[in-house]
Amino acid sequence: MKDTSLSKVIVVGAGPAGLLLALMLAKHGISVEVVEAKDAVDSRPRGAAYGPAAVSVLRRAGVLDRIRQQGLCVDSFTWRRVDGTVINRLTGMNRNPDKGGFICLPVYDLACLLYDELSQFPNARVHWNHRVTAVLQDERRAWVECENGKNFAGDFVVGCDGGTSTVRKSLFGSSFPGHTWDAIMVATNIRGYDFSKYGWEDTSWIVDREHWAVVALIDQQGTWRVSYGEKGSLSHDELYERMPAKLQRILPGHPTSDQYTIERFSPYKLHQRCTEKMRVGRILLAGDAAHLNNPMGGLGLTTGISDVGGLADCLEGIHDGKAGYEILDQYDQIRREIYRTVTDPVSTANLARVRSDPAALAGGQDPFFAMLDKSREDASVLDDIEKKDMGLLVDFTQFYHTNKVNGHTNGLVTSHASLTHWDRLVRYVSAKTGQTRYGEPLADLIADIDQLVAEGTLKVRPLEGSNWLAAGPSADEKEDLVKELLGPLTPRDVPIIRCTGLNYRTHIIESNWDIPTNPTLFIKPGQAVGDTRAPIPVPKLSQSKCDYEGELTIVIGKDAKNVSEEQALDYVAGYVVGNDVSCRDWQLDKDKAGMMPQWCFGKSFDKYAPVGPAIVSPKVLGDASGLRLRTYVNGELRQDADTSDLCFGVRKLVSFYSTGQTLEAGSLIMTGTPGGVAAAMKVPRYLQDGDEVVVEIEGIGKLRNVIKFDE
């Protein structure tokens, strides 16, 4: 798409996400048409809680003061047994209301408030009773077709139309990856019952295998939201019939149904799902249309509003000429990553906690409750909780262009996209549980984590996620002890290894080659990846001339094709230390390699590309220039160089190797080795059985392996 203008956006869905996005865009001078199937704001009881990330977006939208006047500032959260006794409590969450905090206001009231605000803007309009039946696009525009025959067109269509999103289905059909829980949530609004005389205030979670629930005061008129779990197999009528008995069991004082008034009753299924993409061309998704999660902890609303804040950044930047359409790819990837690494695992843990046996949470057995215990003595724990919530929000203005030349953007951005939620990642065996996990070292960058492991003192912040790229901070644990350090990547993580031959000037000179015009490429399979501190098996046919090659290794974080050097770091997740183990006879000897040198067979045996000890993000190392690299064999220094000696640096290699071909996420680029390899010695000193090879790169650490000849 060469045209990167933006003047009008079509928003499908007049819920909180859609109306908030429309309001933010309208305030910025962008015309907005909101298309809604219903005839008014949906009044069903749903979410009501907003964390600090959502509060930040609502403040930016200019509606926070009205929300605070109408809603409640939440100061405490309590976990109780079904008989009402307290298991644990978190207080002080409203100690700094000017900075954010937690707010409670039913989504119906929020949507009405947003609609009222939006109605003041002549460049925005909401079309009620317009059910969308089709969503289409071409190179110049996107549009929706409605059941009543009307069409609405704009530069973009944004689906904010909830979990059953028509916009999402127009893109992916019935596909919505994830799962549905084996339970139903029944949301009720209760009036006329005095919870306070039982000491209940703000929000309480009922922890019980059968009668789990969340009970919260949601407005200043004394309305309480009581949402409880039921069996997934029950019908709507059965759920309604069981409601009085369930509420009598859950509510304090165990009242009968004549002691309170039910204003709302709304059963709904619980899901954990995230769409394949949040951007397809000119069609975008946000909020529940893009992802769903169970309501424990209010992460659905907060994540959805954070989506809106990020998408508003992107669309406003395009409108102002500060960003191109490619910023929407950042939105797509980063927002889905946040769901996978934060919203999904944290909300899942929250639900598991309330559905557990209360006895299993006592005595510090639950890490989250142990953190709450600590918060009563250490106020910084409360700050950490708020910071984690703020991690749901990303400032996409960081991806705006830095400047313009004659009115045209030059393609440079203020900083490069962060593909990870960590600065350093290790894979390790936990001393506490024996499980293999991901973590971030709790040690200075200059600390020798290899030595700390040997001493049994390396501590990490546990990371949770389905793989290294998705790993994010654990919701419940702040610290773990490393028993064994593994390589950060496994062969399954690495689709291919692209290797660079003759890239250090010193190595080129010692090899009697000319300085190349372009990088020299050869390939290793992903199966060659090995762990740090693991033996390197050397097959019988290659034991006579086994050599080492210490190398800075690039880890690709997202698929890259035809990437410019300026954009290259946007695709780099981090750097590891690598060793390009090589059999020189199968590389160079004519009786084995053939008439021409060949670099694949003798370098591609299993475990011939060990990497470690950590992946370090470009947030820490930038383009990795100026790093000292050293290789030791049995303690003897063999290679000593600086990455500034590279002929082709990180940016050039990523750009060159992505030309006309796709660098898949997880691919490695070994950048080449400096002088000092055994093959270049006057009397070559090749590796022998039992030799220890240590490759060390400043800022990353030491890769340590022992050579093991196959028998």
Side-chain angles (χ1 to χ4, degrees):
M1 301 177 185
K2 295 181 180 180
D3 178 15
T4 57
S5 62
L6 189 157
S7 60
K8 187 176 184 179
V9 174
I10 308 302
V11 177
V12 181
L19 292 171
L20 178 60
L21 178 62
L23 176 62
M24 297 178 78
L25 297 181
K27 283 189 170 186
H28 202 77
I30 300 171
S31 295
V32 188
E33 304 267 8
V34 182
V35 185
E36 169 58 50
K38 295 181 174 62
D39 59 1
V41 172
D42 188 352
S43 62
R44 291 176 298 170
R46 285 292 189 267
Y50 312 88
V55 170
S56 176
V57 177
L58 295 168
R59 177 187 287 112
R60 174 184 157 196
V63 295
L64 184 58
D65 288 343
R66 283 192 64 182
I67 290 171
R68 281 180 167 158
Q69 290 170 6
Q70 191 171 334
L72 300 168
C73 293
V74 181
D75 186 69
S76 68
F77 302 95
T78 305
W79 286 260
R80 302 175 183 272
R81 291 180 173 83
V82 73
D83 63 5
T85 57
V86 174
I87 301 172
N88 215 315
R89 176 171 284 156
L90 177 65
T91 60
M93 297 312 297
N94 193 37
R95 68 198 186 286
N96 296 315
D98 292 338
K99 294 183 179 180
F102 291 80
I103 292 178
C104 189
L105 181 70
V107 292
Y108 170 74
D109 296 315
L110 175 62
C112 290
L113 184 155
L114 293 170
Y115 177 56
D116 180 61
E117 290 280 333
L118 185 63
S119 300
Q120 302 174 35
F121 289 85
N123 59 336
R125 185 178 177 186
V126 179
H127 302 273
W128 304 103
N129 285 316
H130 283 67
R131 183 178 300 279
V132 171
T133 56
V135 185
L136 305 163
Q137 63 178 318
D138 59 24
E139 291 186 356
R140 297 181 298 106
R141 61 176 189 148
W143 67 96
V144 300
E145 297 177 352
C146 298
E147 192 174 57
N148 59 11
K150 293 186 178 180
N151 298 341
F152 298 90
D155 298 296
F156 292 94
V157 168
V158 183
C160 296
D161 48 339
T164 60
S165 171
T166 299
V167 179
R168 186 188 67 247
K169 291 176 181 177
S170 75
L171 298 173
F172 307 112
S174 61
S175 176
F176 199 6
H179 67 90
T180 298
W181 293 96
D182 61 346
I184 288 176
M185 200 79 176
V186 179
T188 65
N189 284 359
I190 291 180
R191 296 288 298 273
Y193 189 69
D194 188 3
F195 286 75
S196 62
K197 74 177 183 179
Y198 299 99
W200 288 43
E201 55 188 22
D202 289 351
T203 299
S204 291
W205 280 277
I206 309 302
V207 180
D208 191 84
R209 287 180 173 174
E210 181 180 0
H211 301 293
W212 51 277
V214 57
V215 181
L217 180 64
I218 60 173
D219 64 26
Q220 298 176 11
Q221 289 71 47
T223 304
W224 286 77
R225 170 70 49 75
V226 181
S227 298
Y228 57 87
E230 274 281 25
K231 299 176 182 178
S233 59
L234 296 175
S235 68
H236 187 279
D237 290 343
E238 289 172 325
L239 292 170
Y240 191 81
E241 183 179 345
R242 288 165 56 91
M243 180 175 59
K246 288 289 289 188
L247 292 176
Q248 186 174 18
R249 188 74 177 89
I250 292 168
L251 299 185
H254 308 296
T256 56
S257 59
D258 59 343
Q259 294 178 270
Y260 54 81
T261 301
I262 296 288
E263 289 193 336
R264 294 282 189 274
F265 167 80
S266 180
Y268 58 95
K269 294 181 179 180
L270 303 181
H271 307 275
Q272 304 288 139
R273 299 184 181 274
C274 184
T275 185
E276 293 97 320
K277 291 282 187 180
M278 291 174 69
R279 180 208 178 183
V280 177
R282 293 178 178 269
I283 302 173
L284 304 155
L285 297 172
D288 285 356
H291 43 70
L292 295 171
N293 60 274
N294 77 79
M296 294 301 171
L299 287 171
L301 266 177
T302 298
T303 304
I305 289 175
S306 298
D307 286 348
V308 168
L311 185 53
D313 284 342
C314 297
L315 295 175
E316 290 168 7
I318 295 171
H319 174 267
D320 295 344
K322 297 178 180 178
Y325 286 177
E326 66 275 4
I327 196 173
L328 296 171
D329 292 328
Q330 301 282 8
Y331 166 80
D332 166 42
Q333 180 169 0
I334 292 172
R335 294 311 309 170
R336 285 187 295 113
E337 182 184 354
I338 286 173
Y339 174 84
R340 290 194 302 267
T341 60
V342 183
T343 304
D344 183 31
V346 173
S347 63
T348 296
N350 290 344
L351 181 59
R353 187 173 297 110
V354 298
R355 297 181 72 179
S356 64
D357 182 352
L361 305 178
Q365 297 181 66
D366 181 83
F368 177 73
F369 279 177
M371 179 182 69
L372 299 190
D373 293 338
K374 185 178 179 181
S375 72
R376 287 185 279 277
E377 300 176 356
D378 183 358
S380 67
V381 175
L382 301 179
D383 295 331
D384 290 342
I385 293 172
E386 290 188 352
K387 286 178 182 177
K388 285 183 178 180
D389 189 277
M390 286 300 295
L392 293 168
L393 185 62
V394 174
D395 178 9
F396 284 86
T397 65
Q398 66 181 298
F399 305 123
Y400 286 1
H401 302 118
T402 53
N403 55 67
K404 294 184 175 183
V405 179
N406 297 326
H408 298 285
T409 57
N410 64 4
L412 299 176
V413 294
T414 56
S415 64
H416 295 281
S418 175
L419 300 178
T420 66
H421 287 286
W422 41 263
D423 290 343
R424 292 188 292 168
L425 176 138
V426 297
R427 189 169 62 96
Y428 69 100
V429 177
S430 170
K432 296 180 181 179
T433 67
Q435 295 178 324
T436 299
R437 308 185 66 182
Y438 296 109
E440 182 161 14
L442 296 174
D444 293 335
L445 192 63
I446 61 173
D448 185 350
I449 63 174
D450 184 77
Q451 181 62 33
L452 294 177
V453 171
E455 295 171 353
T457 58
L458 178 61
K459 295 181 179 180
V460 297
R461 177 182 62 158
L463 303 174
E464 297 176 341
S466 58
N467 57 52
W468 66 274
L469 190 56
S474 169
D476 300 328
E477 296 180 75
K478 298 186 68 174
E479 187 177 288
D480 198 4
L481 182 66
V482 174
K483 176 182 179 181
E484 179 183 359
L485 188 64
L486 308 172
L489 299 168
T490 71
R492 294 181 62 183
D493 297 323
V494 180
I496 199 168
I497 307 169
R498 285 173 167 80
C499 304
T500 309
L502 300 173
N503 196 23
Y504 279 81
R505 293 174 179 85
T506 54
H507 186 40
I508 294 170
I509 293 170
E510 74 178 1
S511 301
N512 295 315
W513 290 80
D514 294 329
I515 300 296
T517 303
N518 291 303
T520 301
L521 169 67
F522 62 95
I523 301 296
K524 285 192 176 203
Q527 198 62 35
V529 169
D531 285 345
T532 187
R533 289 183 161 266
I536 298 174
V538 180
K540 289 183 178 181
L541 82 167
S542 61
Q543 294 176 356
S544 61
K545 294 183 178 181
C546 184
D547 208 349
Y548 51 85
E549 292 189 3
E551 306 199 14
L552 172 72
T553 302
I554 305 164
V555 186
I556 298 298
K558 65 176 180 178
D559 291 358
K561 185 175 182 179
N562 296 326
V563 173
S564 68
E565 291 186 36
E566 290 80 7
Q567 296 173 321
L569 292 192
D570 291 343
Y571 296 82
V572 175
Y575 308 97
V576 291
V577 182
N579 186 353
D580 177 15
V581 183
S582 306
C583 296
R584 300 302 185 192
D585 47 353
W586 286 98
Q587 178 185 349
L588 300 170
D589 292 358
K590 291 182 180 180
D591 61 333
K592 294 182 178 179
M595 296 303 295
M596 296 291 292
Q598 62 95 352
W599 291 353
C600 288
F601 181 79
K603 289 173 171 276
S604 296
F605 298 124
D606 290 353
K607 314 303 180 186
Y608 263 40
V611 294
I615 306 176
V616 182
S617 168
K619 291 180 285 185
V620 178
L621 296 180
D623 65 0
S625 59
L627 303 180
R628 189 178 183 185
L629 184 156
R630 288 174 288 184
T631 301
Y632 299 84
V633 177
N634 299 326
E636 178 189 2
L637 181 63
R638 295 282 186 91
Q639 294 182 291
D640 190 356
D642 188 296
T643 54
S644 60
D645 190 41
L646 286 168
C647 294
F648 308 106
V650 170
R651 296 176 186 271
K652 175 65 176 180
L653 293 176
V654 172
S655 177
F656 184 81
Y657 290 159
S658 71
T659 302
Q661 55 189 300
T662 301
L663 291 174
E664 293 180 85
S667 297
L668 301 181
I669 297 176
M670 303 191 89
T671 60
T673 198
V677 297
M681 297 177 179
K682 291 183 179 180
V683 180
R685 296 163 62 191
Y686 292 113
L687 297 172
Q688 303 299 314
D689 186 35
D691 283 351
E692 182 186 65
V693 182
V694 177
V695 184
E696 179 180 12
I697 297 180
E698 179 184 7
I700 304 177
K702 294 177 180 176
L703 172 69
R704 185 184 301 272
N705 299 97
V706 172
I707 300 300
K708 178 65 175 176
F709 282 6
D710 288 349
E711 297 180 357

